[in-house]
Amino acid sequence: MKSLDEIRNKIDQIDAQMRVLFEQRMDCIQAVAEYKFNNHGNIFDQSREEKMLEKNLMQLQNKNYAKEYERFLREVMVSSKDYQKDWIETKEKKERGE
């Protein structure tokens, strides 16, 4: 049986990997915001969100985590939409000279 310190060290390693992936994901989210700004797209795409949730929940290996994983994905989507909204608002203000 692993010690609590060993388990926590493993969590720290996973958190470091997640941080890198988060930044990569946010780089993509910014690119999406730029695309939507340039093409007058909507920030919210319900169909896309539903498909993303369904696909990722189906691929989850340990179904015991489904509730928490769905909550995690929903929070990621909220954060992504908030970032896009803020980025687009800032860009619009710059264009108006504010």
Side-chain angles (χ1 to χ4, degrees):
M1 180 189 218
K2 292 183 178 183
S3 72
L4 185 56
D5 284 340
E6 289 173 318
I7 297 168
R8 286 181 174 162
N9 285 335
K10 180 66 175 176
I11 290 171
D12 289 344
Q13 292 170 5
I14 293 167
D15 286 345
Q17 293 171 9
M18 288 175 60
R19 185 174 46 254
V20 169
L21 293 172
F22 172 79
E23 289 185 81
Q24 291 174 5
R25 190 178 199 287
M26 290 307 293
D27 289 342
C28 291
I29 295 303
Q30 182 169 330
V32 167
E34 289 179 48
Y35 180 88
K36 289 178 179 179
F37 176 78
N38 292 325
N39 295 282
H40 309 288
N42 293 324
I43 291 173
F44 178 64
D45 182 345
Q46 184 173 356
S47 174
R48 163 78 177 136
E49 288 190 10
E50 289 171 3
K51 288 176 187 172
M52 187 273 259
L53 281 171
E54 183 180 337
K55 176 186 75 170
N56 282 288
L57 287 168
M58 293 276 296
Q59 293 175 351
L60 187 65
Q61 290 183 17
N62 188 333
K63 302 300 183 192
N64 292 324
Y65 302 146
K67 180 181 173 184
E68 288 75 16
Y69 187 52
E70 181 175 353
R71 184 179 343 176
F72 169 77
L73 291 174
R74 289 188 184 279
E75 287 299 320
V76 167
M77 289 187 295
V78 166
S79 176
S80 297
K81 288 182 287 193
D82 287 347
Y83 182 84
Q84 287 179 55
K85 181 178 176 262
D86 292 345
W87 189 92
I88 289 170
E89 286 176 358
T90 299
K91 187 79 168 171
E92 288 172 342
K93 286 179 181 179
K94 285 182 183 177
E95 284 197 351
R96 290 191 305 261
E98 296 177 22

